[in-house]
Each structure stands twice: as structure tokens, then as C-alpha cells.
Amino acid sequence: MPIKGLTDRGLALPEIGQIRKGAKKTAGGIGSDLTYFRVEFDETEKKTEADFRAAYGAQPAMIRIILPFNEVERMWDAWLEAYTAGRMVARSDGEHITYQLDDKSDVIVHNGIDKNGQRVKHPANNIAGRDQKGNPVKFKHTGRLKVIVPELSRAAYLTVMTTSIHDIGNISDQLSAFKELNGGQLAGIPFILRRRKKPISTPGEGGTRVRRVKSLISIE
């Protein structure tokens, strides 16, 4: 018999690293966008990292991948999240807050419900709270995709990370399209994770919109 909530949680694979779009953050808290993927492995995965570098080099613009599950929600999620000092202090689906800490690190919203049993609407100013210096901590788009790299010969995944609303929309649309095209099958099909340049509308000076070319994530 299974232990409820412990042995009946379904299939899981270990995470061994992360794939990111941008350079490491500077003192100002912003990392510049790159035209290739920045791939970082867990410090215990030295051999796996060496195998990856041998196959793709230090600046891969494309990576061969397979997806671990047919269910999109098991390998892809996107939220509005707020972080301070590297710790998540709030998460939202854009309409309601699903998780939040107060300034004392006490949980005040859990599973979408506050201490009074009520749902909490996403703040109109997009601010989740304040950091230790009193600066506002804002929600940001955050997407995570679990992928397996065949060359590593590991039943383990890397997490593709993005904070781009354009990437999140693109990945969601592509996964839905491929699932429809393949009759619900996604797991085990060879794909390519690629950086592809695309003109997108971005905020400009004086509240205007301008088109800039960005290197977005694409699954092909």
C-alpha cells in the first residue's frame, strides 16, 4: 500500500543543471542577454559537464533534447514570481497569489489561501513586498522547462530557465502545437533547443513601443 502524499507522487527524475539565456548578474542585478545558452551543472556533476562541453563547447546556440513526459504541465510551468536575496517570497498566476511570505519570512499565503481562508488578488502595482533596504520587490515572469540531453546518457534533466514573456508564450505555443501534431505524444521525440532571432515590440522612451531584435528560445 502507498503512503499517501509520499510514495504516490508519480515519476520523478533528478535535476543536474540549468540552461539560461543571460549572462551572470552584475552588481546592478542585471545580466546581459546572450546569443547562446549559458549551461551550468551541479558541482557534483563534473564528468557530465565535461561530456556536455565535449559535445557542444562553451557557447552552444543549439542543444539536442528530448522531453521527459507527454503531459506538458509535468515538465513546463510559468508563473509570476518575486525574489529577494535569491529566495522566492511570492508566486502568482497573474490573477491570484498562490504563495507569499511576509517581511518576517512567515508564510501568509499557501496554496492560494491566506490565513483567513481567502484568496488574495494579484496586486495592481505588481509589488510583492519590500526588501531589507525598503525597495519594492516586483513580480517577474518565470518559466521552467525540463529537458533531457541525449548525449549525456543520463535519466536526469536540465531546467531551461527564462524570464522573458516572449519566450514563455513561444514555448507554450510550440509545446501545444507539437502535442497536437503528434497525437498527444511528446516524450522521447528528438527536438532541438535553439536561440532564434526575432523582432519583438518592447517599451521605448516616452511610453512608446519600438521593435527590437531579440534572441528567443525556440523548440524545433
Side-chain angles (χ1 to χ4, degrees):
M1 295 290 291
I3 300 175
K4 297 298 183 181
L6 181 62
T7 64
D8 57 351
R9 292 181 295 185
L11 299 173
L13 299 173
E15 180 190 43
I16 57 175
Q18 296 182 339
I19 301 173
R20 299 180 181 272
K21 287 183 56 182
K24 291 184 177 180
K25 292 183 178 180
T26 62
I30 299 176
S32 60
D33 194 22
L34 304 172
T35 57
Y36 56 88
F37 291 109
R38 176 167 62 92
V39 184
E40 296 182 334
F41 287 85
D42 185 274
E43 61 182 10
T44 63
E45 297 289 342
K46 299 300 183 184
K47 182 182 182 304
T48 301
E49 180 175 4
D51 291 342
F52 180 87
R53 305 299 179 203
Y56 291 101
Q59 299 182 355
M62 60 77 66
I63 302 172
R64 286 176 288 274
I65 63 168
I66 57 175
L67 302 175
F69 305 111
N70 289 321
E71 299 84 6
V72 172
E73 63 276 7
R74 296 182 64 187
M75 57 192 171
W76 167 242
D77 65 69
W79 298 89
L80 288 166
E81 295 179 347
Y83 287 81
T84 179
R87 179 185 60 173
M88 186 177 74
V89 296
R91 170 181 280 177
S92 168
D93 62 7
E95 294 185 357
H96 294 90
I97 293 176
T98 61
Y99 173 82
Q100 189 171 18
L101 302 177
D102 64 13
D103 295 339
K104 298 180 181 180
S105 298
D106 293 329
V107 178
I108 57 175
V109 180
H110 182 66
N111 289 335
I113 303 297
D114 67 10
K115 293 182 178 180
N116 297 318
Q118 302 296 317
R119 300 190 72 186
V120 181
K121 289 186 177 181
H122 184 88
N125 60 7
N126 202 43
I127 295 176
R130 302 277 173 174
D131 62 17
Q132 293 180 347
K133 296 181 180 180
N135 298 317
V137 179
K138 292 187 176 183
F139 286 93
K140 295 182 180 180
H141 294 85
T142 303
R144 301 176 183 86
L145 176 67
K146 299 175 182 178
V147 301
I148 294 174
V149 178
E151 285 90 346
L152 302 182
S153 300
R154 295 283 304 278
Y157 69 87
L158 288 91
T159 303
V160 182
M161 306 287 296
T162 181
T163 56
S164 164
I165 187 173
H166 302 285
D167 282 333
I168 290 173
N170 205 36
I171 291 171
S172 296
D173 291 344
Q174 289 177 333
L175 290 176
S176 296
F178 284 128
K179 186 166 185 176
E180 179 73 18
L181 182 66
N182 291 291
Q185 179 73 25
L186 286 175
I189 298 175
F191 290 105
I192 292 176
L193 188 72
R194 188 185 300 277
R195 299 297 299 270
R196 187 172 290 281
K197 292 183 179 181
K198 183 178 179 181
I200 61 174
S201 176
T202 61
E205 296 182 0
T208 60
R209 304 290 296 184
V210 296
R211 295 187 69 79
R212 294 186 175 95
V213 176
K214 296 288 187 178
S215 183
L216 302 182
I217 295 176
S218 181
I219 303 171
E220 304 173 4

